[in-house]
C-alpha cells in the first residue's frame, strides 16, 4: 500500500530528541546509533537526533555531538538538532547539524518556566542564532517550533493572536520555518485547522511543522486537520516515545507508526517503509528496556496486504 | 468546557453490545445494569444495550431482554438492540427495544461467514423485520449498520459502488437509518469522507452513524472526517471495549471518552458529562476484572479546567 510516487509529506522523527528527553533512563549511545540507523533505513528523511543542552542538566544528551556525527553518514537524512540558545547552536553547528530547531513559547508563563526568558527575549536569542548560522554555516536552515501554541497548562488559554504575532516577529527575524507545537496536548482539530490557516495567511511558505502530542488521543485527528489546512511536515516519535513516567501516555508525541499508516492509507506518500519502521522498534526497546511504547499499529500488526 | 447548548452530535454508546460481544468473560447482569445506569447518568442519549441472538451461541447476551427492560427506566435514553434476523427482532420488540439495528455486510465473503447469507438475502431479512416492526411497534426505528463498508479482511477491498448500491437497496426497502461500519479497522479519513459524502448524495437524511474502530489508531481521525462530511451520529464504546483477546487493541471501538473530548474541545456539543463518563468506567471494570481498557483521556486525566 506504500505509495510509490514522490513523498508528499515529510515525517520528521523526533523520538531521539523529544522522546528521549522525556524518559528517565539514559539510553546508551550505541543503542541510539543503532536506532537512528534503523530509522534512516526505514526512509525517514529528517530526524531530530539530539538536544544541545548542558550535560549536567540533561545527561541523556551528553553524547549529542557524537550522535550528530554518526547520523551524518546517512546521506538521505537531514540531521536536525534542538538548541535552546546561542551556545547550543554553536555546539550543534560545530558537530555538523544540518538543521537547527529552537523552542520559543507562545505562553509567557511557559517561556519563563522553561528557559527563564520572555518570548520576546527568545526572539532576540533566535536572532543571535541566525547571525551565528550566517557566519558558521550559511546553508543550514533554522526552524522555530512554537511551544504551547494550542494551550498551556500554566497559563491556560493561549490567545491565537499572540501565536500569530510571535510568528510574524520570527518571520521578520529571518527564521526559515516556523512550526506550531501542541506541547501540552490541549489542541483540537478545529483549533489546529484555524491556527495553521492563519499561519499560511500571515507568513505563507515559512509555515513549518505540526508538532502534535497524543495526550488525549487526538494526535492523528489533529494531524489530519493540519494536513487539510496545508501543513506538509509532521513531527512524531516512534512508539509515541515521550510519555511522562508519572502519567503513562499523558504526554507522548504522535506515534510515527500510526501516522504513517494514516497518510499512506489515504494515498498520501510519506516515503517511509512501514515494515522497516516497525523493525526500528527493536533497537529502541533494546536501549530502553521496560519503557512503555505506544501505537495501535504495532499492537494490531500491519494491514493485510500492505507492501 | 462542556458546551451547554443543545447537543449537535449523538454519541451512540455500543459498549454493552459490541464491546461485550468481543470479550471472553461473561459480565454479570447486575454489573451490566449498573454500567448502563452510569452511562445514562453521564448523558448518553442512545445506548446499544444488547444483542438478541440465541443464548447458546453467545452466553454473554442471554440476559438481553432483562437488560433492555431495565434500561427503559432511563427516559432520556433511546434503548437500542442489535438483531441479526427476524427472530431476534421479535424478541427485542417484545422486550421493549426502542430502536433496532441490523448488521448487513457490504462484503459477500464477510456476510456468508457472519450470517451465512448473501447481502441481498440480508436485505430480504431486513424487509421482513420492517414488516414485523410495522405490526408490532410502528414507531420503532430500524437502522442498518453496514459492516465491512471500508474493507474486509476476508474479501480485501470493498468497492465503494457496492456499498452505495446496497445503501440504496436498503433505503428503498424502507430502512430508517443506514450507517457505515469500519468493522475491520481498515478505513482511512479520505475514504470515510468520500463514502459518507456519496451516502448523503444518494440517500440524503437516511445516512446514519459512523461506526468506527481504532485498530490502527485512526478512529478519531476517521470520526473527524465523517463529521466534516456531515455525519452527526457516532458509535463508540467506553474504554474502547471490544479489543480482540488475542491481539490487544486490534479491534476495539473508538473510545467514547476520547471522542467526547475531541468534539467538546472543538466546541461541538455532545450532551455528555465527561466527569460522569469517566465515573462510568468503575462498574465496567468491576464487571470485567482484568479486561484491558483503552483511552488516552483516562490515562492523562481530564483537561485542566474542564467543567
Amino acid at each position: 500500500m506504500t505509495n510509490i510516487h514522490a513523498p508528499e509529506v515529510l515525517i520528521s522523527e523526533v523520538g531521539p530528541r523529544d522522546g528521549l528527553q522525556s524518559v528517565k533512563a539514559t539510553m546508551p549511545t550505541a543503542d541510539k546509533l543503532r536506532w537512528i540507523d534503523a530509522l534512516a533505513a526505514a526512509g525517514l528523511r529528517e530526524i531530530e537526533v539530539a538536544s544541545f543542552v548542558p550535560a549536567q542538566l540533561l545527561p541523556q544528551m551528553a553524547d549529542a555531538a557524537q550522535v550528530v556525527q554518526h547520523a551524518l553518514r546517512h546521506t538521505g537524512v537531514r540531521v536536525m538538532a534542538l538548541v535552546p540558545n546561542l551556545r547550543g547552536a554553536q555546539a550543534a553547528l560545530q558537530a555538523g547539524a544540518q538543521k537547527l530547531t529552537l523552542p520559543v513559547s507562545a505562553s509567557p508563563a511557559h517561556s519563563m518556566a522553561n528557559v527563564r526568558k520572555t518570548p520576546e527575549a527568545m526572539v532576540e536569542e533566535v536572532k543571535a542564532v541566525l547571525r551565528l548560522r550566517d557566519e558558521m554555516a550559511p546553508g543550514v536552515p533554522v526552524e522555530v517550533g512554537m511551544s504551547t501554541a494550542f494551550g498551556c497548562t500554566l497559563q491556560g488559554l493561549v490567545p491565537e493572536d499572540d501565536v500569530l504575532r510571535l510568528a510574524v516577529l520570527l518571520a521578520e527575524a529571518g527564521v526559515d520555518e516556523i512550526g506550531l507545537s501542541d506541547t501540552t496536548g490541549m489542541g483540537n482539530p478545529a483549533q489546529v485547522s484555524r491556527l495553521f490557516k492563519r499561519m499560511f495567511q500571515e507568513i505563507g511558505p515559512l509555515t513549518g511543522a505540526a508538532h502534535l502530542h497524543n495526550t488525549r488521543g487526538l494526535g492523528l485527528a489533529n494531524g489530519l486537520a493540519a494536513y487539510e489546512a496545508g501543513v506538509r511536515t509532521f513531527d512524531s516519535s516512534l512508539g509515541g516515545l515521550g510519555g511522562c513516567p508519572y502519567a503513562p501516555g499523558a504526554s507522548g508525541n504522535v506515534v510515527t507508526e500510526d501516522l504513517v499508516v494514516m497518510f499512506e492509507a489515504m494515498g498520501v506518500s510519506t516515503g517511509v517503509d512501514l515494515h522497516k519502521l516497525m523493525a526500528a522498534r527493536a533497537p529502541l526497546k533494546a536501549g530502553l528496556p521496560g519503557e512503555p511504547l505506544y501505537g495501535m499499529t504495532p499492537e494490531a500488526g500491519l494491514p493485510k496486504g500492505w507492501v
Side-chain angles (χ1 to χ4, degrees), chain A:
Chain A
M1 199 183 276
T2 302
N3 300 287
I4 53 168
H5 44 296
E8 295 158 77
V9 292
L10 177 66
I11 307 295
S12 182
E13 170 66 39
V14 300
R17 198 284 301 171
D18 196 355
L20 283 185
Q21 202 162 332
S22 307
V23 302
K24 284 177 103 174
T26 298
M27 193 176 191
T29 304
D31 289 308
K32 286 188 192 178
L33 305 186
R34 268 192 290 271
W35 180 25
I36 289 165
D37 292 347
L39 292 167
L44 287 156
R45 288 165 292 129
E46 184 169 285
I47 306 176
E48 198 171 316
V49 299
S51 179
F52 281 80
V53 289
Q56 64 272 28
L57 288 184
L58 196 59
Q60 182 74 271
M61 295 296 159
D63 56 6
Q66 188 185 345
V67 170
V68 165
Q69 281 151 12
H70 176 91
L72 290 170
R73 72 178 55 183
H74 299 293
T75 52
V77 174
R78 185 150 65 169
V79 179
M80 180 152 71
L82 184 136
V83 299
N85 50 33
L86 187 64
R87 199 154 57 158
Q90 190 161 27
L93 291 174
Q94 268 163 358
Q98 295 167 321
K99 183 175 175 181
L100 304 184
T101 182
L102 281 108
V104 177
S105 288
S107 148
H110 181 262
S111 193
M112 292 306 294
N114 200 35
V115 291
R116 297 179 188 281
K117 285 189 178 126
T118 64
E120 291 71 23
M122 271 305 288
V123 173
E124 295 308 311
E125 191 78 24
V126 170
K127 286 178 183 170
V129 168
L130 288 166
R131 285 191 295 270
L132 179 78
R133 183 274 315 264
D134 290 344
E135 286 168 27
M136 282 183 73
V140 169
V142 172
E143 173 200 77
V144 165
M146 204 189 299
S147 313
T148 65
F150 302 98
C152 171
T153 44
L154 300 171
Q155 172 178 320
L157 192 78
V158 174
E160 295 184 4
D161 286 346
D162 289 3
V163 173
L164 272 293
R165 200 156 35 228
L166 192 53
V168 169
L169 280 181
L170 291 161
E172 287 168 355
V175 172
D176 297 292
E177 286 175 37
I178 301 154
L180 299 181
S181 300
D182 188 14
T183 314
T184 59
M186 291 167 74
N188 70 71
Q191 179 191 25
V192 167
S193 172
R194 209 165 48 229
L195 257 178
F196 270 111
K197 281 178 182 165
R198 287 189 66 186
M199 289 283 282
F200 280 109
Q201 278 167 9
E202 294 283 339
I203 64 166
L206 296 185
T207 305
H211 178 101
L212 302 166
H213 282 225
N214 201 32
T215 311
R216 289 181 187 85
L218 273 61
L220 287 194
N222 285 338
L224 177 65
Y227 176 78
E228 288 175 346
V231 174
R232 292 295 177 268
T233 303
F234 298 85
D235 292 359
S236 62
S237 79
L238 196 75
L241 194 68
C244 170
Y246 303 105
S251 330
N253 288 286
V254 168
V255 175
T256 305
E257 299 90 315
D258 294 345
L259 186 67
V260 167
V261 166
M262 182 175 82
F263 281 127
E264 291 287 339
M266 287 172 69
V268 175
S269 177
T270 62
V272 176
D273 180 315
L274 194 53
H275 294 278
K276 290 181 181 166
L277 187 67
M278 300 286 275
R281 291 168 65 94
L284 170 55
K285 284 181 183 168
L288 284 177
E291 185 66 31
L293 296 185
Y294 292 90
M296 298 299 279
T297 300
E299 279 200 45
L302 296 194
K304 196 179 161 186
W306 193 283
V307 291

